[in-house]
Amino acid sequence: MTNGTLPTLFTAEAAADPMKKYMPIGDVTVLALCIILFMLLIQTFVRKDKYFKYTIIMIVLVYISSTASLMFNTLAASDEAAAKSTAVYILRLVHYVSLCMVPIIYTVYIQEPLRLHASRKFFDSVTAAIFVIAVSVDLIMTRSHNGFYISADGTAHFGFNIFSYMYAMFYGSIIYSTIKHRDRLLSRVFSGLMSVNIVSLATMLVQGFFGQTSYTNAACIFPVIGIIYLFHSNPYDTEIGTVSETFFYPEHDKRIERKEQFVLISCIIRGFLNALRESNDLMTESYAFLRRNARNGVLYRFPDDRILLSLPADANIENLTRRMTDEFKELYERFRLDYKLVVCRSTRSVTSAKDYIKLIEYAEKNTAFTNIHYIDENDINDFYDSGYILGELAEIASRRDLDDPRVLVYCQPVYNIRTGKYDTAEALMRLQLDKTGIVYPDVFIPLAEQNNCIHALSLIILNKTCRAIREMLENGYDIQRISVNFSAIDLRYGSFCGDVKNIIAGNGIPFGKIAVEITESRSESDFNLMKQRVIELRQLGIKFYLDDFGTGYSNFERIMEIPFDIIKFDRSMLIESNRSESGEFMVKTFAGMFKKLNYSVLFEGVEDDRDEQHCIGMQASYLQGYKYSRPIPIENLRDFLTRTA
Ligand code: C2E
Ligand code: CA
Ligand code: CA
């Protein structure tokens, strides 16, 4: 074969003139690249897990290999080669051995994402064997002058090179296992790996085609760059393929601005990451699920285990989301994971990426596990209302006006069985807001509690209740007492006792006209606090009611430690006692016990005559419910009492 016709790999002709097939440019570039990579890796934030060290080892090996290659090739081509023949042999061996170590370490590395742990031992022994055989074959080839050798006249002869076959074999097997187990990789990771492997292979082939050996080390560094980028410095994690939430906002604000349609599917799966690590089946099924359904979507990872899939909304999107949610249910059935899905289509009424996330969080709170919720216009309206309500609440709290007109006191009269009169009542809060009209506690109490506005509201209710009592007393209507609800958060305020005392005293009414309703505390510290507060304020004459008995984790012993005046049985207890004889027995027993211990028992939610008779038979002292009156504005209480007197 002559120059100008097909050049071939490792030909005798190329071997005859080593400088022809070797130019230092390739190795010099690789050396520079290794230094740059190394510096960047130690200077920047990359995922330094236990596999990270393999990337460093590979870089060092390529560095050694390139240096050795540079020296070997220069020496082999020089005129004094004969004199330095031993050094040439050693440098050549160093070059090839370190070069072949790179794909071997790459193979060790790649077993992790491909989850090939089972075959690791087998692989290690086979590799060691191949390695020993390759080095021996090379030595034999050199001795028999079939491989690389330097002849007596000092000329370098290249001949057969076992290492290039070994190198090709390892790369071949890497590419083979990557393709074979592609379902164990996220599709992005798979295409990333394949493209660097292919470029690396192509570089080898092309240089072979031109009878070159200058770029062997270069081809070797490409896959290393690939795994550093794919597994260690990637914005998405290669385990579930999510991008950090911080990428979500700019990306979607851009989409909103461009009026692009999209669908967001938010998913909370309890213990998903652990389950994924433990079950290969779950992992491959999840990847397959994503491949089928979310090809052009992006997954984002949010705090609290939330994963959000964003899909462009094309014509097919309705079918796609239906199919996805169906498949999701099926997946759940198989792997028994608790999930919550919220699906949200882009709409003109939501104008920022941040609002989409808040809307989804809002809908998520109202969605139970193992449920899928499609956000609709109603959700969006409620969500914006709740944002508006929260704004008003914050404003009320910061203004600290104890007469704030937006906070209304309603009250529900309580029937006293012994006196046959309505001599007490419970104050219940309402909000009167411009945009929404009257707002009920189930909507705003949780918002107020979560956003630290509740205490300001409670004090307004207390103040307005005290004033109403004073006005009634001044006008000659004797009301024995009105109870006001406080939440556990109120009790945590250091100023709680002082605030309550000052407001009652400021209105000039006896302390005994006010009762405080509190619910059972969940935590030990709240319980101790509650006990202290009750003891302190009771000394002044303020009464205490335990609210909603029977709804929490009722703990009889603990309740006994606090000197309550009245135990309010929640409506659920009444319902339970209506349902069965054993239920009735239980509720009756509780009520009897409280009574024996000098607590009074109040039944809430008495709706009709049957409820009333039932409660009377169960040791009730007080009755409250729609049967007697719905909650009414506190200004109307006087009329009610006059009518029923
Ligand atoms: P709660 O303290 O258990 O108040 C009783 C709730 O039961 C009231 O709901 C009342 O309207 C309702 N109710 C009364 N009679 C019946 C009946 O016969 N059947 C049925 N099914 N329900 C009846 P409301 O006013 O919507 O208040 C709900 C909850 O909001 C209250 O439950 C209380 O936990 C909280 N809340 C109300 N006002 C305040 C307040 O000023 N401060 C605090 N911290 N919480 C409040
Ligand atoms: Ca209450
Ligand atoms: Ca209650």
Side-chain angles (χ1 to χ4, degrees), residues 200-324:
S200 162
L201 202 68
T203 309
M204 289 294 236
L205 286 176
V206 169
Q207 77 157 358
F209 191 74
F210 289 103
Q212 269 284 334
T213 59
S214 318
Y215 301 98
T216 313
N217 286 302
C220 212
I221 197 82
F222 296 154
V224 183
I225 298 176
I227 57 174
I228 289 172
Y229 196 83
L230 279 169
F231 294 102
H232 297 277
S233 63
N234 213 292
Y236 59 84
D237 65 77
T238 42
E239 213 166 9
I240 35 177
T242 54
V243 184
S244 146
E245 61 162 333
T246 47
F247 293 88
F248 174 84
Y249 299 103
E251 192 61 35
H252 286 77
D253 279 331
K254 219 178 338 170
R255 286 194 184 169
I256 294 166
E257 202 182 299
R258 291 188 196 141
K259 300 198 165 49
E260 288 171 15
Q261 302 274 304
F262 52 89
V263 171
L264 303 175
I265 302 178
S266 161
C267 164
I268 292 183
I269 307 177
R270 278 197 192 135
F272 183 58
L273 271 185
N274 281 339
L276 205 62
R277 281 181 198 132
E278 273 159 28
S279 159
N280 269 335
D281 279 357
L282 176 63
M283 184 200 59
T284 46
E285 296 258 348
S286 303
Y287 290 176
F289 173 82
L290 288 175
R291 260 198 298 279
R292 271 197 307 278
N293 298 307
R295 256 197 183 286
N296 39 17
V298 180
L299 278 178
Y300 297 91
R301 172 104 164 255
F302 284 75
D304 298 332
D305 265 353
R306 185 143 48 84
I307 296 169
L308 187 91
L309 173 64
S310 170
L311 289 165
D314 47 27
N316 200 21
I317 193 72
E318 292 290 333
N319 290 337
L320 183 67
T321 41
R322 292 278 157 203
R323 198 180 74 202
M324 256 177 103

Side-chain angles (χ1 to χ4, degrees), residues 613-634:
Q613 284 315 309
H614 207 73
C615 293
I616 293 173
M618 289 192 298
Q619 317 260 14
S621 301
Y622 297 95
L623 301 174
Q624 179 183 351
Y626 295 161
K627 177 185 179 337
Y628 311 104
S629 169
R630 298 223 160 217
I632 51 175
I634 198 161

Side-chain angles (χ1 to χ4, degrees), residues 346-619:
S346 55
T347 144
R348 239 180 298 163
S349 35
V350 183
T351 51
S352 76
K354 232 182 179 148
D355 273 9
Y356 274 108
I357 296 306
K358 284 195 200 149
L359 169 63
I360 286 170
E361 278 170 351
Y362 176 80
E364 230 154 45
K365 262 189 207 132
N366 302 323
T367 306
F369 272 96
T370 333
N371 270 303
I372 298 173
H373 180 82
Y374 293 85
I375 289 182
D376 59 15
E377 277 305 310
N378 287 336
D379 294 310
I380 296 172
N381 291 340
D382 288 354
F383 163 70
Y384 276 114
D385 280 353
S386 84
Y388 164 70
I389 293 166
L390 185 57
E392 292 284 295
L393 287 172
E395 216 271 321
I396 293 170
S398 68
R399 187 176 282 196
R400 303 190 160 275
D401 173 7
L402 286 177
D403 295 316
D404 199 306
R406 288 167 287 189
V407 183
L408 306 182
V409 187
Y410 272 55
C411 82
Q412 191 174 32
V414 173
Y415 182 71
N416 182 334
I417 297 177
R418 192 174 52 80
T419 59
K421 278 199 228 165
Y422 297 95
D423 39 27
T424 58
E426 175 181 9
L428 293 160
M429 189 173 354
R430 307 286 182 259
L431 290 183
Q432 167 81 56
L433 302 178
D434 285 344
K435 275 201 200 155
T436 49
I438 296 241
V439 189
Y440 289 87
D442 54 329
V443 174
F444 69 81
I445 296 276
L447 285 176
E449 286 187 339
Q450 282 155 24
N451 295 280
N452 268 324
C453 309
I454 190 74
H455 192 52
L457 297 177
S458 303
L459 296 183
I460 297 173
I461 293 289
L462 177 63
N463 183 52
K464 291 191 171 190
T465 304
C466 291
R467 197 176 51 219
I469 293 174
R470 190 184 68 214
E471 282 166 8
M472 285 172 76
L473 293 177
E474 282 170 357
N475 288 305
Y477 292 90
D478 189 26
I479 175 101
Q480 202 188 345
R481 174 167 74 231
I482 296 181
S483 56
V484 176
N485 292 283
F486 283 89
S487 78
I489 297 168
D490 283 296
L491 299 185
R492 288 185 206 147
Y493 279 80
S495 62
F496 176 78
C497 290
D499 292 340
V500 171
K501 203 157 67 178
N502 290 341
I503 289 175
I504 302 175
N507 277 285
I509 59 165
F511 286 109
K513 292 287 173 198
I514 291 292
V516 170
E517 291 196 13
I518 40 185
T519 53
E520 263 173 274
S521 58
R522 298 263 163 81
S523 71
E524 190 67 27
S525 60
D526 274 351
F527 173 80
N528 292 328
L529 210 57
M530 182 191 276
K531 197 167 150 184
Q532 278 173 31
R533 306 282 192 240
V534 174
I535 291 170
E536 182 176 344
L537 289 180
R538 235 175 150 258
Q539 281 169 352
L540 298 172
I542 297 172
K543 305 281 181 200
F544 276 86
Y545 298 179
L546 178 72
D547 202 0
D548 299 339
F549 176 74
T551 55
Y553 304 85
S554 296
N555 185 329
F556 223 78
E557 256 171 70
R558 281 185 149 196
I559 295 172
M560 296 305 163
E561 279 187 48
I562 300 183
F564 287 111
D565 297 277
I566 293 180
I567 308 292
K568 297 187 75 166
F569 278 42
D570 188 74
R571 175 162 164 76
S572 60
M573 296 288 267
L574 179 54
I575 292 170
E576 191 57 43
S577 73
N578 273 331
R579 195 175 299 158
S580 67
E581 257 177 44
S582 61
E584 183 177 351
F585 177 75
M586 177 194 78
V587 177
K588 203 173 175 170
T589 310
F590 275 132
M593 264 155 75
F594 279 122
K595 213 156 180 193
K596 270 214 184 82
L597 293 159
N598 282 328
Y599 295 97
S600 298
V601 171
L602 182 155
F603 276 91
E604 288 187 303
V606 180
E607 292 187 349
D608 50 30
D609 291 343
R610 188 170 154 248
D611 282 347
E612 179 181 69
Q613 284 315 309
H614 207 73
C615 293
I616 293 173
M618 289 192 298
Q619 317 260 14

